[in-house]
Amino acid sequence: MKSPVLDRRQLLKTLSAATLGAVGTSLVGTGAAFAIEGKTLKIRNDGDIRNLDPATRGGWYDETVMFAIFSGLVQFKAGDEWGWQLDAAESIDTKDPLAIPFRLKPGLKWTGGYGEVTAEDVKFSYERFADPKVNAVYASDWAALDKVEITDKYSGVIRLKKPFVPLFTSTLPHASGLIVCKAAVEKNGGLITTDPLATSGPYMLSKWQPKERITLTRNSDWPGPKPYFDEIQLYPLADKVAAETAFDAGDLDVTQINISSIAERKKKDKDVLTVKPALAYTWMGMNIENPKLADVRVRRAIQRAINVPEVIEGTFGEAVQPAFGVIPPPLLGARDKLLYPYDPEAAKALLTEAGVKDLRIKVEFGTDADLLVAAQVMQAQLAAVGITLDVRQMDGATLTAQQQDAKGGTWKEVELFFVTFTTAPDPSWVTEWFKCDQVGVWNFQRTCDAGWDAENAKAAEEPDEAKRAAVYVDLQNKLEETGAYVFLYHGVNAWVSPKTLKGAWTPDGQWALLREFSAG
């Protein structure tokens, strides 16, 4: 089965070359050599920016930009081990889990003439997550916050109402820990969209050409270590095959590539291949409010009809292992088995019991070449139990908008869909999106259980790792019991770059830490 997969991949790669013009002539057809000589870096971004507000950001496509232009008290370290280091903070004390004193580095300035970054900005940045007017998508990151107490211009204390274990793993070093300018945000009515208003990081957003290019330039007022590149150009290319084509043509200096490209890239010695285990989770979800999927027996039949190891082998070969839940190893709470593994006879019996014959259903997903292969393997497996699967690819942003449209009613038409979420190095960030308050926001299966939500909240407070892990296993068991989830893989993140570039990534390879890129 591997040869047809490679042939299909090569065909998609060839076809994708013709689509690159959509990102602008500034990228394709320039014939430019590696741009490092001019201190300009050209890099692929997963997508275009949607929202640069730490409280309401869209995803990693926003966060990659945000980590470069904003500063936080601390930031993720690059490398192979998860950890954090000081950023805007001169010091931070972690001894007391309910009171975290910090002191900012004096002289850190806002762009736009807004003066220095102060403790008042920190207080405003974190407390606004609870403001109903902000409607923070990531409100749970600061749900345990009582207040930020200001002690002087540069110092304060983060006071929590209750212990919150993920504070230094998935809140402060992540985008929810970034500091925004109180004066600039209040002047703009309390909102941040694609204009960050004022920033304090080593880079600033100098130009945005929607769907074409995001340009960052050095912040001349940045008092920290001077970043190597004068300018960084990010090109929003959702299609990794197209991005790889652009890299091979010399139009991109570094890009993420599909997992199916790894084996071929390993044979070459020309470039540097960086492969890291992803803290991501890909699954096939089912909209339980769609009439075709309202009966749990039908959903369970689909679960049992899909041979996930065969899907993964047919899609990625041996580069990726099947998933047993949403929490990726090595995070605590990762499962090692399914409750309802592949059993086509059980699937047929469930459909008969439900009185369902000749079921025709569609699966929708973005323009990912690997997921197209996975869908085709599933198509054959479902056909074996009497289910016809229609495969539909579309723009990922369009699909997400359809799933999130609770008022327009189009979400009711969604049936099956592939989802990939990325996460931070704590299981609380994995499970948070399946709660009742996430239905129609990020919970597209629309499963809702108040007891599940309460158990999930308690898990974030549990200091004992073994107990905490057991709770997260149970939470995943209950998700599988709904029948609305087919867990697929966690995967790896793979990047290709020239030997003359020294890259910097988080340990999962999800975020390119642009401020640390340099000539190798």
Side-chain angles (χ1 to χ4, degrees), residues 43-44 46 60 64 77-82 240 254-257 274-280 422-423 491-496 504-513 517:
I43 185 170
R44 175 240 185 200
D46 294 80
W60 56 92
T64 297
K77 284 183 178 180
D80 295 327
E81 299 293 331
W82 285 100
K240 292 178 186 175
V254 57
T255 185
Q256 195 171 14
I257 61 174
T274 301
V275 181
K276 291 176 176 285
L279 285 190
T422 58
T423 189
V492 297
N493 285 315
W495 294 78
V496 62
W505 291 273
T506 50
D508 62 342
Q510 184 60 50
W511 293 282
L513 299 176
F517 271 61

Side-chain angles (χ1 to χ4, degrees), residues 28 449 469:
V28 178
D449 181 343

Side-chain angles (χ1 to χ4, degrees), residues 290-312:
N290 182 284
K292 293 181 182 180
L293 297 163
D295 190 329
V296 67
R297 293 171 296 184
V298 174
R299 302 196 297 271
R300 181 85 69 236
I302 294 171
Q303 281 180 322
R304 308 219 74 170
I306 295 174
N307 184 341
V308 173
E310 184 177 76
V311 172
I312 303 308

Side-chain angles (χ1 to χ4, degrees), residues 454-466:
E455 185 179 1
N456 184 63
K458 285 291 184 183
E461 301 175 30
E462 177 55 64
D464 185 284
E465 287 196 355

Side-chain angles (χ1 to χ4, degrees), residues 252-369:
L252 284 177
D253 303 323
V254 57
T255 185
Q256 195 171 14
I257 61 174
N258 277 327
I259 296 171
S260 54
S261 291
I262 293 175
E264 184 179 345
R265 286 284 170 185
K266 281 182 177 178
K267 299 175 184 177
K268 302 178 181 180
D269 190 42
K270 178 184 175 183
D271 305 306
V272 175
L273 178 65
T274 301
V275 181
K276 291 176 176 285
L279 285 190
Y281 43 116
T282 297
W283 74 95
M284 186 177 74
M286 308 183 207
N287 179 6
I288 66 171
E289 295 192 30
N290 182 284
K292 293 181 182 180
L293 297 163
D295 190 329
V296 67
R297 293 171 296 184
V298 174
R299 302 196 297 271
R300 181 85 69 236
I302 294 171
Q303 281 180 322
R304 308 219 74 170
I306 295 174
N307 184 341
V308 173
E310 184 177 76
V311 172
I312 303 308
E313 169 67 20
T315 306
F316 304 114
E318 298 179 357
V320 170
Q321 297 301 310
F324 297 104
V326 289
I327 296 177
L331 300 188
L332 59 85
R335 297 198 309 174
D336 59 6
K337 63 180 179 180
L338 295 174
L339 300 180
Y340 298 99
Y342 173 63
D343 188 337
E345 294 307 313
K348 292 176 184 177
L350 284 162
L351 290 172
T352 299
E353 183 182 332
V356 174
K357 293 182 179 180
D358 303 319
L359 177 64
R360 190 178 197 102
I361 200 161
K362 65 179 183 289
V363 61
E364 297 171 297
F365 52 98
T367 57
D368 186 307

